Amino acid sequence: MSTLHAVMSRNDVRGLLIRHTGKHLAEDVVSAWESGLAGYSLAECHRAFAALGPAARRATPSEIAGRCDAARDRTTGEPVPVQAAASPRATTRDYYRHAGMLGIRTVYAAMGWKRNADHDLARSVPCPFCKARAWAVCGPLSRNRAGVREMRDPVHRMHPSRLRHAQAELVHTNGTPDQETPR
């Protein structure tokens, strides 16, 4: 690994922030900066801060990362991509969420417990009622702004409209439902 793109340690990030902001910051702020500047070298970040001048005191990690990316593009001669890639934090979050789901399934299989297939099906789509994202459990909301009341199912821990939405989407993509519904 070249020294140009050596990964910064936590102390490097802390020193960078002290030098360019002029104050000691809380550990959670240092963690956010460390996460936001993952993959950038100390020299690149110093140059990005220096280019900002006095505005460096109000800089954000994404601003500094963007300046580092722009500097890399200028040095390599490659054009700046139109669509930015997913942030390292988002890909890490997705990785751990997926690993957690696999771990839960492994534990269920090892213990001989039965998983409810509707639970995973419902989690695969966003909730139309409480607006929970896909793979996140529904919030405890029982009445939305329109005054519509919907209680979560205690078995699935999801709103029933989310399960219906997931089943409708499954029928739409497959053309036929997986299970026959009793009439």
Side-chain angles (χ1 to χ4, degrees):
M1 178 180 278
S2 71
T3 57
L4 177 65
H5 297 296
V7 178
M8 289 189 291
S9 68
R10 186 173 188 80
N11 287 332
D12 291 337
V13 174
R14 189 177 291 114
L16 178 77
L17 293 172
I18 290 170
R19 179 173 179 185
H20 292 287
T21 63
K23 54 187 170 185
H24 291 276
L25 299 171
E27 287 300 310
D28 58 336
V29 175
V30 174
S31 295
W33 275 88
E34 183 180 16
S35 169
L37 297 177
Y40 299 103
S41 71
L42 183 60
E44 288 177 306
C45 294
H46 273 301
R47 283 191 295 272
F49 266 112
L52 281 173
R57 292 182 183 271
R58 296 180 306 276
T60 62
S62 60
E63 262 184 295
I64 300 301
R67 286 187 172 271
C68 291
D69 286 337
R72 284 182 183 178
D73 290 338
R74 282 192 302 271
T75 58
T76 60
E78 296 176 9
V80 178
V82 175
Q83 198 174 42
S87 70
R89 176 178 273 168
T91 56
T92 303
R93 187 181 311 121
D94 292 339
Y95 169 79
Y96 286 116
R97 181 180 295 132
H98 183 67
M101 287 176 21
L102 291 177
I104 289 169
R105 287 184 180 133
T106 304
V107 168
Y108 267 72
M111 298 300 290
W113 298 337
K114 295 189 188 312
R115 270 190 73 75
N116 190 335
D118 286 345
H119 179 76
D120 288 336
L121 177 64
R123 287 184 71 174
S124 68
V125 297
C127 182
F129 184 75
C130 70
K131 308 300 184 216
R133 288 190 258 168
W135 301 112
V137 178
C138 285
L141 183 69
S142 62
R143 185 184 309 261
N144 65 10
R145 290 181 180 210
V148 177
R149 187 172 170 84
E150 185 173 349
M151 301 302 288
R152 291 189 306 174
D153 182 6
V155 175
H156 303 116
R157 299 185 319 259
M158 309 288 167
H159 289 107
S161 62
R162 186 175 190 175
L163 181 59
R164 287 191 302 270
H165 178 65
Q167 289 169 338
E169 194 168 295
L170 183 67
V171 169
H172 178 68
T173 47
N174 291 344
T176 59
D178 275 351
Q179 302 171 358
E180 280 293 318
T181 55
R183 294 181 188 189

